[in-house]
């Protein structure tokens, strides 16, 4: 069963590909998306990562919460 994670605290420079690469180490990622402002196209500083397996998502939460990506601390 898949599980979607909210990822906050993203750097303005982090894109969806970078987000996917950061989380793929924990298992199969079905989708990774950084939410952008409609008017400017700039990152809003958060995104979502959907894992194929809930256990992989739980591992990602344990390992990535509080870690740094592109100079910013994730939550």
């Amino acid at each position: 069963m898949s599980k979607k994670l909210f990822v906050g605290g993203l750097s303005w420079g982090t894109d969806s590909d970078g987000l996917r690469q950061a989380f793929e180490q924990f298992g199969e990622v079905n989708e990774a998306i950084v939410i952008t402002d409609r008017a400017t196209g700039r990152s809003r500083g958060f995104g979502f990562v959907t894992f194929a397996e809930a256990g992989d998502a739980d591992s990602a939460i344990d390992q990535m919460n509080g870690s740094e990506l592109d100079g910013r601390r994730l939550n």
Side-chain angles (χ1 to χ4, degrees):
M1 184 167 112
S2 67
K3 185 171 185 178
K4 184 181 276 192
L5 304 180
F6 169 83
V7 183
L10 294 176
S11 164
W12 304 132
T14 302
D15 62 9
S16 294
D17 289 334
L19 185 61
R20 175 182 289 275
Q21 289 174 4
F23 281 84
E24 279 181 329
Q25 62 184 314
F26 302 103
E28 182 184 348
V29 173
N30 290 343
E31 181 182 45
I33 186 162
V34 173
I35 304 303
T36 56
D37 182 275
R38 285 187 221 179
T40 65
R42 182 176 164 203
S43 168
R44 293 186 57 200
F46 68 93
F48 297 93
V49 177
T50 305
F51 282 91
E53 299 294 327
D56 295 339
D58 293 337
S59 295
I61 291 169
D62 291 340
Q63 299 286 324
M64 295 297 282
N65 190 32
S67 68
E68 282 194 21
L69 177 63
D70 296 334
R72 295 284 309 265
R73 193 164 301 280
L74 301 178
N75 57 48

